């Protein structure tokens, strides 16, 4: 195979209680990318449509992730990348992760899969480091593994795939403002109280258990964030109203997607996810905030080949 076209999913990181450790992949939102082999040992970004992003390899997240893979590979050639960028940067649904994960996943396919998923996550984390100054894995891991993933440890990197209950749907609303992950990390405190820690790890354990046990009530009870949401939510228009209305419409839980400004809700069943979407839309329409909205099943495959 000389060329491959892939779908690179958007992702929801943190999922309320799992800051920097938990994430899930979406089905209906993502970028498309074509990667082809070239004889020269280099990465070339030849085309980006949809967004204004740098073509220079070292300044592009898919470029640096690809370079990290090439460095560890005995392949003599390189790759050319074309990106159809549908996820807006700074939207909070893993725009940089989609490009980083998509590029290294596609390259691995073209090379006959010499690298493990864990290694691909490590390469893709270089893209995240370029985008946000921190090599966090909670977007790239679900993009590569699919479904929900837990980053059990960063050093050494240990990713735990978590099963997805069949009826789980995500609703994501994106108010049309841009928040850079690096900026929304700067406003966070670097220490937390033991009291908040106890609440947070209780919820994280509860959420993971709920996902394993298909226990939607437990999932809902666990979707709480006592540490990051109270600080970051002030950057997001009408966050409290969106959340209250989404919960009234039947959501299991609602929180900030990644570093925002997108807000996600999880629901049991597509009908409820649609009602939640309606409540979110009405909230923003009433106060005149422009938005994009998506309803998606959890994507259990991650990056996938198209065509
Ligand atoms: N865990 C990261 C953050 C995700 O919240 O800063 C960024 O998408």
């Amino acid at each position: 195979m000389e060329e491959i076209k892939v779908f690179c999913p958007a992702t929801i990181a943190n999922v309320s209680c799992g800051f920097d450790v938990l994430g899930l992949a979406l089905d209906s939102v993502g970028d498309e990318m074509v990667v082809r082999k070239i004889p020269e040992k280099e990465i070339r970004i030849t085309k980006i449509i949809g967004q204004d992003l740098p073509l220079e390899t070292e300044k592009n997240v898919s470029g640096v992730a690809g370079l990290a893979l090439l460095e560890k590979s005995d392949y003599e050639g390189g790759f050319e990348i074309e990106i159809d960028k549908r996820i807006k940067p700074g939207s909070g649904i893993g725009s940089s992760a989609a490009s980083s994960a998509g590029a290294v996943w596609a390259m691995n396919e073209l090379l006959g899969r010499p690298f493990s998923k864990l290694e691909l996550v490590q390469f893709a984390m270089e893209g995240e480091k370029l985008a946000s100054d921190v090599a966090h894995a909670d977007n790239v891991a679900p993009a590569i593994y699919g479904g929900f993933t837990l980053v059990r440890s960063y050093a050494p990197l240990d990713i735990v795939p978590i099963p997805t209950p069949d009826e789980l749907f995500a609703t994501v609303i994106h108010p049309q403002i841009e928040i850079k992950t690096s900026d929304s990390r700067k406003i966070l405190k670097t220490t937390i109280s033991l009291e908040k820690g106890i609440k947070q790890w209780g919820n994280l354990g509860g959420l993971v258990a709920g996902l394993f046990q298909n226990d939607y009530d437990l999932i809902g009870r666990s979707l709480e964030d006592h540490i990051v949401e109270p600080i970051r939510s002030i950057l997001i228009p009408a966050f409290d109203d969106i959340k209250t209305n989404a919960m009234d419409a039947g959501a299991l839980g609602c929180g900030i997607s990644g570093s925002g400004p997108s807000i996600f809700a999880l629901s049991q069943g597509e009908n409820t996810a649609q009602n939640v979407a309606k409540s979110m839309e009405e909230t923003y329409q009433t106060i005149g905030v422009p938005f994009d909205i998506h309803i998606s099943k959890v994507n259990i495959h991650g990056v996938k080949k198209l065509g």
Side-chain angles (χ1 to χ4, degrees), residues 5-11 29-34 45 47-55 59-63 81-103 127-128 131 139-140 143 178 292 294 306:
K5 186 173 184 185
V6 294
F7 170 77
C8 320
T11 44
V29 200
D31 296 341
E32 288 184 9
M33 183 180 271
V34 175
I45 324 280
K47 188 157 107 184
I48 301 175
I49 58 169
Q51 301 294 329
D52 188 17
L53 290 166
L55 289 167
K59 292 188 184 160
N60 184 291
V61 297
S62 58
I81 304 174
E82 290 172 18
I83 308 170
D84 181 354
K85 195 82 198 126
R86 299 172 183 194
I87 313 172
K88 289 184 189 144
S91 56
I93 50 170
S95 178
S96 52
S99 296
S100 310
E128 293 295 65
N139 291 103
V140 290
E178 186 183 341
D292 278 343
H294 312 281
L306 292 172

Side-chain angles (χ1 to χ4, degrees), residues 17 192-206 224 226-227:
C17 51
I192 58 163
S193 67
L194 188 57
E195 189 193 348
K196 284 189 179 165
I198 291 166
K199 287 183 183 170
Q200 200 84 354
W201 55 65
N203 280 320
L204 182 57
E224 285 186 334
H226 294 279
I227 296 171

Side-chain angles (χ1 to χ4, degrees), residues 57-300:
T57 307
E58 277 84 9
K59 292 188 184 160
N60 184 291
V61 297
S62 58
V64 296
L67 286 175
L69 178 144
L70 264 196
E71 201 179 300
K72 290 275 185 271
S73 169
D74 50 17
Y75 166 53
E76 301 283 305
F79 299 97
E80 199 170 81
I81 304 174
E82 290 172 18
I83 308 170
D84 181 354
K85 195 82 198 126
R86 299 172 183 194
I87 313 172
K88 289 184 189 144
S91 56
I93 50 170
S95 178
S96 52
S99 296
S100 310
V104 296
W105 189 91
M107 290 169 191
N108 196 42
E109 291 297 295
L110 291 175
L111 296 178
R113 299 190 192 157
F115 297 110
S116 67
K117 286 182 178 172
L118 188 70
E119 288 171 309
L120 295 183
V121 170
Q122 269 161 332
F123 302 143
M125 284 166 72
E126 293 301 316
E128 293 295 65
K129 196 168 165 194
L130 175 69
S132 67
D133 301 333
V134 179
H136 62 91
D138 49 342
N139 291 103
V140 290
I144 286 170
Y145 283 76
F148 281 81
T149 54
L150 173 74
V151 186
R152 207 271 317 153
S153 152
Y154 273 91
L157 188 65
D158 186 2
I159 308 286
V160 183
I162 297 168
T164 304
D166 278 348
E167 295 169 53
L168 207 56
F169 279 80
T171 308
V172 183
I173 190 156
H174 174 209
Q176 302 292 286
I177 56 170
E178 186 183 341
I179 296 183
K180 288 200 170 81
T181 298
S182 50
D183 291 339
S184 71
R185 292 182 80 91
K186 280 185 200 132
I187 62 171
L188 299 178
K189 297 190 179 120
T190 51
T191 56
I192 58 163
S193 67
L194 188 57
E195 189 193 348
K196 284 189 179 165
I198 291 166
K199 287 183 183 170
Q200 200 84 354
W201 55 65
N203 280 320
L204 182 57
L207 181 52
V208 171
L211 292 167
F212 268 94
Q213 295 169 1
N214 290 308
D215 184 337
Y216 293 92
D217 285 340
L218 178 56
I219 292 169
R221 294 202 299 284
S222 308
L223 285 168
E224 285 186 334
D225 176 2
H226 294 279
I227 296 171
V228 176
E229 184 178 297
I231 300 171
R232 281 184 173 168
S233 58
I234 54 169
L235 302 174
I236 303 173
F239 175 82
D240 292 339
D241 292 342
I242 290 271
K243 183 168 174 165
T244 306
N245 295 342
M247 297 307 288
D248 287 348
L252 298 167
C254 179
I256 302 171
S257 177
S259 53
S262 288
I263 303 171
F264 80 97
L266 293 183
S267 301
Q268 182 177 5
E270 195 168 5
N271 281 346
T272 309
Q274 269 159 358
N275 290 338
V276 169
K278 215 181 292 165
S279 83
M280 289 175 159
E281 280 170 8
E282 281 168 10
T283 310
Y284 273 163
Q285 274 157 358
T286 309
I287 54 171
V289 175
F291 61 86
D292 278 343
I293 191 154
H294 312 281
I295 296 172
S296 175
K297 246 194 125 109
V298 178
N299 166 1
I300 57 168

